Amino acid sequence: MSNTNGKSAVSSALAALIETAISIREALGGTVTQLELAIENEAAKRRTAKEVREAYEADLAEWEAEAWNRDRSVVNGDGKPKSPTVDQIKTLVASERVAAQRTGPLAKSLAMSNAAAYDHEDAKAALEQCAKRFRATEAASDLTAAILNAAAK
């Protein structure tokens, strides 16, 4: 009688292990799908961030070219125009750039570039989480397979 109970207990444990293996296999399939979606999302966000950053850099380059070429002559006391030095122009352009980035013509493209960069960082973090979840599920799957293989011998 105890031999029958022993076989029944082993069969019950094996059935539970097989059921666990099936659940893990389904979970592995789900994590694969999530990982694929996370990879696609990260790639799309990376491309978008790059394109938006390049657009901002183009806007900035155009703005700087105009700022450097602007006539900055001032009339001095004798009525003759006087141009500022290169160092003075550098200082003026730098302060004007800050104002243009805060509230001027560069503000929108800079904000879009920053937002796209933040979205990309979020997508990278989500991808890392999905990859870790996949590896954990894969490890559980490998362990279950090893136990089943050992039980089959």
Side-chain angles (χ1 to χ4, degrees), residues 56 97 99-114:
Y56 166 71
R97 181 184 327 110
Q101 290 170 330
R102 286 189 180 155
T103 58
L106 297 175
K108 183 178 179 181
S109 62
L110 178 60
M112 290 173 60
S113 178
N114 288 340

Side-chain angles (χ1 to χ4, degrees), residues 14 20 22 35 37 48 63-64 78 95 97 102 124:
L14 192 55
T20 300
I22 291 169
L35 185 58
L37 292 172
T48 300
W63 181 89
E64 283 187 341
D78 61 1
S95 67
R97 181 184 327 110
R102 286 189 180 155
K124 280 184 1 183

Side-chain angles (χ1 to χ4, degrees), residues 75-92:
V75 179
N76 60 14
D78 61 1
K80 296 181 182 176
K82 181 180 182 218
S83 296
T85 66
V86 173
D87 287 336
Q88 290 171 327
I89 292 174
K90 281 182 187 178
T91 303
L92 288 169

Side-chain angles (χ1 to χ4, degrees), residues 31 34-35 38-39 121-137:
T31 58
Q34 290 174 352
L35 185 58
I39 290 168
E121 288 299 317
D122 290 346
K124 280 184 1 183
L127 175 57
E128 287 176 20
Q129 288 176 342
C130 283
K132 287 177 183 178
R133 192 175 310 120
F134 171 78
R135 284 190 291 276
T137 307

Side-chain angles (χ1 to χ4, degrees), residues 5-6 8 29 41 52 54 57 76 87 102 118 125 133 140:
N5 284 342
S8 176
N41 186 47
V52 174
E54 288 172 350
E57 289 171 354
N76 60 14
D87 287 336
R102 286 189 180 155
Y118 297 146
R133 192 175 310 120

Side-chain angles (χ1 to χ4, degrees), residues 36-52:
E36 289 169 344
L37 292 172
I39 290 168
E40 288 176 21
N41 186 47
E42 189 275 335
K45 298 291 185 179
R46 181 175 2 99
R47 280 190 302 275
T48 300
K50 181 182 179 218
E51 290 168 2
V52 174

